[in-house]
Amino acid sequence: MSTAQPVIRAERLTKTFGPVRALDGLDLEVAPGEVHGFLGPNGAGKSTTIRVVLGLIRASGGHVELFGGDPWRQAATLHERLAYVAGDVALWPGLTGGQCLDVLGATQGVLDETRRADLIDRFELDPTKRVRDYSKGNRQKVALIAALAADVELLVLDEPTSGLDPLMEQAFQEVVRTRREQGCSVLLSSHILGEVEALADRVSIIRRGKTVTTGTLAELRRHTRTHVHAVTVDEPAGLADAPGLTDWSSERLDGHIESRFSIDADHLDAVIGQLHHAQIHTLTVTPPSLDDLFLRTYDEEVPLHDVPGLEQPEEALR
Amino acid sequence: MRATGLRTMLGVHWRTHRSGTLVWILALIASMVGTAAAVAGLYTTPEKIHTYAAAVTTGSALVAINGRVEGIDSLGGVIQDESGFLMALLLPLLGISLVAKVTRREEEDGRLEAVLGGRVARYVPVLAGLIDASAAILVTALAFTLGITFCGVPAVRSALYAASLGGLAFVFAGLAALVAQITRHSRGVYAWSLLVLTVAYLLRGVGDVTKTWVTWLSPLGWAEKAAPFGAMRWWTLLIPLAVGGLLCAAAVLIAGRRDLGSSLVRGRPGSARASAWLRSPVGLATYIHSPAVLGWLAGALIIAGMMGALAKQFVGAVTGNPAMADAIGMSTAHPEDGFVAVTQLYIAIIAMGYAVQAVGSLRGEETAGRLEPRLSGTLSRMGWIAAHGLVIVTGLVIIVAVSSVVLAASTAWSMGTPLHLARVIGAGAAYLPAELLVGGLALALFGLWPRAFPAGWAVFAIVAFIAFLGPGLKLATWVLDLAPTTHIGNPPLGTVKALPLIVLSALAALLAATAAVGFRHRGVPRG
Ligand SMILES: Nc1ncnc2c1ncn2[C@@H]1O[C@H](COP(=O)(O)OP(=O)(O)OP(=O)(O)O)[C@@H](O)[C@H]1O
Ligand SMILES: [Mg+2]
């Protein structure tokens, strides 16, 4: 992680809409040059956070900084350095796609003409069609191209690929990677785990307006569990009550012992040692899947403090 | 065919549109019954009624505007004549807006697709919309009957009068339903239906002035020929019922057969680049507001041109008829000035309607979700609202100036007198502070309580009612004073004083500033 000033920093953000508490002490930090995945179930407060960060709405409490400045007071000046794709893309139905692109581009500052032309090609957009005659995916492309072609330091993308086909999704990922290499930071709110996995350097997962966890994908992986399927000659000693091990089952099969269990990353090494002592016949280690992590974190049934092995910033504060 | 989902659809319409519909109906009932009550309070003796009748039937100018009322020599006749112009506008508008809201508007916004994906047959939304509209029209007509009867008009005659007006609204509901099937946007539904209304109005006017069958070509003529306060021709109600029924049937039939989202009128491809003008905040604001400017300008031009063309008849009728002059608020000493003053007031109300609608489209940008990306760029909120304010005010000035020029020219042509350009334009310009005040109020709503924006239309309706009918109905001074138009001084007939104009302008500026500050400090988008 860079020590330079973060592009976005939000601390203990709260936002209430009448009786609804949309944000409830949320933390978010995006470092320069990183692609930051922003995840959470529907209604968790992602779009609300983004609007607060952009100074479109004002936080009820907490502290937010954009490029070190106050987005509510200096919105227009700070916006020079970023481009935004809103969650619900709305365009002027009577204008053509190309005209909307230019209007949005002018709104965001300066469009890089070569990039604009290149992206129109890449996303196979017909810029002469009226927006009202576009399909949903094509409307989405207009907003995306306008943001991706802008000469800015930060891209704020709220579910940018909803409605894109897999080929376009691929193109999107390539372009974001290129922009990142050029030094652009990205805040990427998304429901597509594959996309986050492919692009994000770090992710923040929020639920009910609170940050549940944040870190690099590798760190998150460390906090998830590895599934192990081992067939050994002897009965492995002391497995059942090894630290960090759960879901253990064992049965005798053709004179071998077949064990299945899951284990957290910190204790993997010790357990593999025990298996080794019991003479490994076959061994399958399934790496932790992010899907598991997300499903678990998203699950409303699990209380926040029960999500195992996750950093809990707000717990630490209490 | 079985009307699958009709009940569901009616329920959806009721839940989503009931408040708008109720406001519409209540406003209509209030203006009709208010007019009737005021007339009944004013024309208390047969002599007074007779004087009124004699006045308005002299010459053809008022006949062209309010219609040829059979049996005008009665309380009901006076009511019909006094509300002639307003009802000829409002009832068709009721039919059009009720239908447009639940048909093309829903389709345009993509909600229809969700509905048709469920257990609802393709033609059912239109059918349900027409049933809603018919029910609303029926309720309105019943309330009209009760209210007018209460003011002392025989119940049968009130009933026929209300039914004829209901028939008028029904024809336009059917027309709007059909137009909604063949244009792509709800704006188109309004535009085409209002065009038909204009033609209907002109045909009725020509027929009434020339006393020929031309009146029978117009739905407004059918309502008039029911002659509720004269010969009472009940059978004429069959014409709007049959025509409206046919239009509805055609609409339902087409809706059952056409593709979702398709229509006969298609958009063509356009330019792949936006001009530097369109990219600028003022340029985009101009693009957003120009349809409203053109639409209201067209309305103002029709009024200015039509009135101007009739100037000679007006002035002829007024000279030597103080009663008529009094009835329409003109002066016998300077009939031409009085005539221009009356017309300029009409144009001022139109310009005011434009101002409210233009501010409403700012709210439209917000609810459609286009304001959010606009404000996430380098454009500040102040910059955005200032660009729109500039364009809206420019549009207002254009509407007032162009229609004033047309009024001056057509009056000069009709009267054969020299052109009084400065005088006529000056009168139009004098109303600008009043128009800006109402626009400023709408803007303040947008800035502070965007969800309450419809209240801006309520204010407009009250001002329009007071301005149109207040003096004729001799409403109390404090009521008349509520309308900013009252304080202008009725130019060019009356003298315009500087102080009221300055006060109105200052208030308008204050409201605009409040709006800007409120907008600066509120969240966007606010649902
Ligand atoms: N203007 C508003 N008024 C009232 N409630 C609001 C408003 N905006 C958002 N909310 C509420 O705040 C909560 C968070 O909404 P938000 O749109 O931020 O969620 P999200 O994480 O973006 O969800 P999704 O994944 O569905 O886009 C929701 O419960 C929503 O209903
Ligand atoms: Mg969202």
Side-chain angles (χ1 to χ4, degrees):
Chain A
M1 226 189 295
S2 157
T3 48
Q5 178 196 51
V7 180
I8 294 173
R9 186 163 73 199
E11 281 164 2
R12 299 181 309 282
L13 273 194
T14 57
K15 176 72 192 175
T16 48
F17 296 104
V20 182
R21 221 175 157 74
L23 298 183
D24 190 11
L26 181 135
D27 300 284
L28 176 69
E29 191 168 311
V30 178
E34 75 173 1
V35 175
H36 195 102
F38 193 36
L39 299 139
N42 293 128
K46 300 181 294 297
S47 302
T48 306
T49 308
I50 288 175
R51 285 177 181 147
V52 170
V53 164
L54 293 180
L56 289 167
I57 57 180
R58 188 179 203 166
S60 316
H63 178 77
V64 59
E65 266 175 31
L66 176 64
F67 299 116
D70 177 354
W72 180 253
R73 292 176 179 284
Q74 302 157 262
T77 13
L78 295 175
H79 288 170
E80 270 171 35
R81 302 162 67 181
L82 63 86
Y84 168 49
V85 175
D88 293 308
V89 169
L91 304 167
W92 295 269
L95 295 183
T96 63
Q99 287 174 321
C100 277
L101 245 176
D102 287 339
V103 169
L104 289 176
T107 307
Q108 284 158 358
V110 192
L111 273 195
D112 183 315
E113 283 298 324
T114 1
R115 224 183 271 153
R116 179 189 187 275
D118 177 52
L119 286 168
I120 287 180
D121 265 5
R122 196 117 166 217
F123 284 106
E124 296 167 14
L125 183 81
D126 175 0
T128 62
K129 249 192 180 174
R130 306 251 168 223
V131 165
R132 68 167 71 99
D133 297 333
Y134 270 150
S135 63
K136 173 176 164 54
N138 279 322
R139 278 196 293 269
Q140 191 77 30
K141 285 181 200 169
V142 172
L144 258 182
I145 294 175
L148 292 172
D151 233 339
V152 290
E153 297 162 48
L154 171 67
L155 292 171
V156 178
L157 311 175
D158 193 356
E159 291 180 47
T161 57
S162 64
L164 292 196
D165 65 44
L167 230 58
M168 292 303 133
E169 166 78 47
Q170 201 63 40
F172 165 76
Q173 293 186 10
E174 281 163 23
V175 177
V176 169
R177 247 178 246 124
T178 318
R179 296 292 286 122
R180 180 178 170 265
E181 278 155 26
Q182 293 161 343
C184 188
S185 324
V186 183
L187 177 62
L188 172 68
S189 144
S190 175
H191 286 298
I192 303 170
L193 304 179
E195 178 178 287
V196 175
E197 208 162 357
L199 292 175
D201 301 303
R202 292 200 308 140
V203 304
S204 291
I205 303 180
I206 68 167
R207 211 176 87 189
R208 286 189 228 152
K210 279 194 179 70
T211 310
V212 177
T213 182
T214 179
T216 64
L217 285 175
E219 281 166 352
L220 290 187
R221 281 219 171 80
R222 280 185 59 79
H223 291 300
T224 56
R225 313 181 71 78
T226 304
H227 298 284
V228 180
H229 176 209
V231 179
T232 46
V233 177
D234 302 324
E235 175 98 41
L239 258 196
D241 42 38
L245 183 144
T246 48
D247 307 329
W248 179 73
S249 73
S250 163
E251 56 188 297
R252 193 165 283 276
L253 194 78
D254 299 338
H256 292 309
I257 308 291
E258 188 185 34
S259 314
R260 293 166 192 276
F261 56 87
S262 55
I263 178 85
D264 58 31
D266 291 342
H267 299 97
L268 184 62
D269 183 56
V271 170
I272 296 293
Q274 279 160 316
L275 291 176
H276 180 71
H277 282 303
Q279 289 190 47
I280 295 171
H281 185 259
T282 61
L283 177 65
T284 321
V285 179
T286 316
S289 108
L290 275 187
D291 290 22
D292 277 357
L293 171 69
F294 293 134
L295 290 177
R296 220 146 151 178
T297 335
Y298 277 25
D299 189 355
E300 290 284 321
E301 298 299 309
V302 186
L304 287 176
H305 55 266
D306 280 0
V307 179
L310 295 179
E311 287 175 38
Q312 287 158 18
E314 75 280 350
E315 284 291 318
L317 285 171
R318 270 178 215 157
Chain B
M1 41 190 183
R2 266 209 353 258
T4 321
L6 183 58
R7 215 124 66 108
T8 322
M9 219 44 237
L10 286 172
V12 168
H13 286 172
W14 171 244
R15 274 194 298 271
T16 48
H17 296 293
R18 67 184 156 199
S19 55
T21 309
L22 283 178
V23 167
W24 239 121
I25 295 180
L26 287 179
L28 258 179
I29 295 172
S31 50
M32 181 78 238
V33 179
T35 307
V39 167
L42 213 55
Y43 299 94
T44 43
T45 62
E47 291 71 49
K48 286 182 183 168
I49 292 176
H50 188 74
T51 319
Y52 176 91
V56 296
T57 45
T58 317
S60 42
L62 277 184
V63 168
I65 289 171
N66 286 333
R68 188 174 289 286
V69 177
E70 296 180 43
I72 182 132
D73 214 342
S74 67
L75 180 58
V78 178
I79 295 173
Q80 187 185 351
D81 194 68
E82 274 291 299
S83 46
F85 175 74
L86 207 58
M87 291 300 140
L89 181 69
L90 291 184
L91 281 157
L93 213 53
L94 170 76
I96 296 166
S97 76
L98 288 184
V99 169
K101 249 195 302 207
V102 296
T103 53
R104 188 45 80 172
R105 169 104 255 180
E106 295 286 295
E107 183 161 354
E108 202 178 351
D109 294 351
R111 286 187 291 268
L112 185 64
E113 195 167 348
V115 165
L116 291 187
R119 294 177 51 84
V120 172
R122 257 200 310 276
Y123 66 90
V124 161
V126 184
L127 184 61
L130 286 167
I131 292 177
D132 289 338
S134 308
I137 292 168
L138 205 64
V139 170
T140 310
L142 281 176
F144 277 14
T145 308
L146 290 177
I148 300 171
T149 307
F150 188 73
C151 294
V153 175
V156 207
R157 291 186 182 272
S158 311
L160 178 55
Y161 179 45
S164 69
L165 291 178
L168 174 63
F170 180 63
V171 170
F172 278 90
L175 177 75
L178 182 60
V179 176
Q181 305 309 314
I182 53 184
T183 56
R184 284 174 73 75
H185 296 282
S186 59
R187 201 155 76 199
V189 179
Y190 281 101
W192 287 107
S193 308
L194 289 177
L195 187 68
V196 172
L197 177 59
T198 311
V199 172
Y201 187 72
L202 292 178
L203 284 176
R204 206 266 309 127
V206 169
D208 279 352
V209 169
T210 57
K211 297 192 189 170
T212 49
W213 48 268
V214 176
T215 304
W216 287 97
L217 295 179
S218 164
L220 295 164
W222 305 333
E224 186 177 293
K225 289 295 180 186
F229 306 106
M232 301 233 292
R233 297 182 202 97
W234 285 94
W235 62 267
T236 55
L237 293 179
L238 293 177
I239 308 175
L241 279 183
V243 172
L246 277 177
L247 289 168
C248 293
V252 169
L253 216 65
I254 295 180
R257 280 152 198 248
R258 73 185 174 91
D259 297 341
L260 179 72
S262 85
S263 57
L264 303 177
V265 191
R266 274 252 152 221
R268 279 181 302 279
S271 163
R273 298 306 304 250
S275 59
W277 167 244
L278 187 60
R279 277 183 241 179
S280 71
V282 172
L284 187 67
T286 306
Y287 167 78
I288 290 170
H289 295 294
S290 45
V293 175
L294 291 178
W296 291 88
L297 178 61
L301 288 183
I302 288 170
I303 294 279
M306 195 186 72
M307 294 288 281
L310 291 168
K312 198 180 172 68
Q313 278 86 336
F314 265 114
V315 173
V318 166
T319 331
N321 189 340
M324 159 143 182
D326 192 42
I328 54 173
M330 278 168 59
S331 143
T332 39
H334 306 280
E336 194 180 329
D337 280 351
F339 163 78
V340 172
V342 168
T343 315
Q344 280 295 13
L345 180 62
Y346 279 41
I347 293 174
I349 295 298
I350 290 180
M352 208 175 268
Y354 152 77
V356 176
Q357 195 191 11
V359 175
S361 54
L362 302 189
R363 177 67 183 146
E365 288 291 294
E366 179 171 14
T367 48
R370 290 189 290 260
L371 180 53
E372 191 180 346
R374 257 330 246 174
L375 294 184
S376 64
T378 51
L379 184 59
S380 70
R381 293 187 186 203
M382 288 298 147
W384 182 83
I385 205 165
H388 278 273
L390 179 70
V391 170
I392 292 174
V393 172
T394 308
L396 186 70
V397 172
I398 288 175
I399 290 175
V400 169
V402 174
S403 40
S404 293
V405 169
V406 168
L407 176 63
S410 58
T411 308
W413 169 79
S414 153
M415 304 275 300
T417 51
L419 196 65
H420 299 300
L421 210 50
R423 202 168 163 75
V424 178
I425 294 182
Y431 279 102
L432 281 173
E435 294 148 12
L436 289 172
L437 179 68
V438 175
L441 192 72
L443 193 65
L445 286 172
F446 170 73
L448 294 171
W449 306 286
R451 268 179 229 172
F453 180 77
W457 281 114
V459 169
F460 167 73
I462 292 168
V463 172
F465 181 80
I466 296 177
F468 277 146
L469 299 176
L473 300 177
K474 307 226 163 29
L475 298 181
T477 317
W478 69 266
V479 179
L480 293 179
D481 280 346
L482 287 178
T485 44
T486 311
H487 304 281
I488 301 299
N490 201 28
L493 183 61
T495 41
V496 177
K497 288 193 204 67
L499 185 65
L501 296 198
I502 293 172
V503 171
L504 290 178
S505 306
L507 282 176
L510 191 70
L511 285 168
T514 313
V517 172
F519 183 61
R520 172 70 187 80
H521 290 285
R522 75 173 171 88
V524 171
R526 196 136 109 199

